[in-house]
Amino acid sequence: GLDPEGLTRAEADFAKAASLYPNSAIRQWQWGSLLQGLGRSEEGLARYRRAIELDQTPHLDKKLSAPQRQWAKAFIENNERLIRSQEKN
């Protein structure tokens, strides 16, 4: 585990990397993973969605691995299920 200052630096690094190469599915996935780890599920969800969207482009350098794709899709599905459940209550 990183200390809070380390996590803040890591988040800033991912934000910078994503801004320099915004069409990289892998960078978006990594940023989403970090945000998820920080307990910021909504922001992580947005990054995972973007990663899946970018993964569907024809550019080979922007592709996710099969486990990354499965992880992102499962996170999105679980969060959507949770949101639907909360809306019913």
Side-chain angles (χ1 to χ4, degrees):
L2 293 173
D3 61 273
E5 185 177 313
L7 290 172
T8 300
R9 282 194 313 272
E11 183 180 3
D13 289 345
F14 277 110
K16 182 176 181 181
S19 72
L20 294 173
Y21 195 32
N23 296 323
S24 170
I26 293 169
R27 293 293 166 259
Q28 294 294 326
W29 186 92
Q30 290 170 329
W31 196 4
S33 181
L34 173 68
L35 291 166
Q36 178 187 1
L38 291 171
R40 293 167 44 194
S41 294
E42 280 188 39
E43 292 171 87
L45 182 61
R47 295 295 162 193
Y48 282 139
R49 282 187 174 136
R50 181 70 177 138
I52 293 295
E53 178 184 315
L54 290 168
D55 186 55
Q56 296 171 0
T57 66
H59 304 288
L60 294 176
D61 64 334
K62 298 174 183 165
K63 296 295 184 186
L64 299 174
S65 67
Q68 289 172 320
R69 190 176 305 109
Q70 291 169 347
W71 182 272
K73 286 181 178 182
F75 186 79
I76 291 166
E77 289 171 13
N78 289 335
N79 275 277
E80 287 174 349
R81 205 173 302 128
L82 179 63
I83 290 168
R84 284 192 302 271
S85 171
Q86 291 173 345
E87 288 173 351
K88 288 180 183 178
N89 295 329

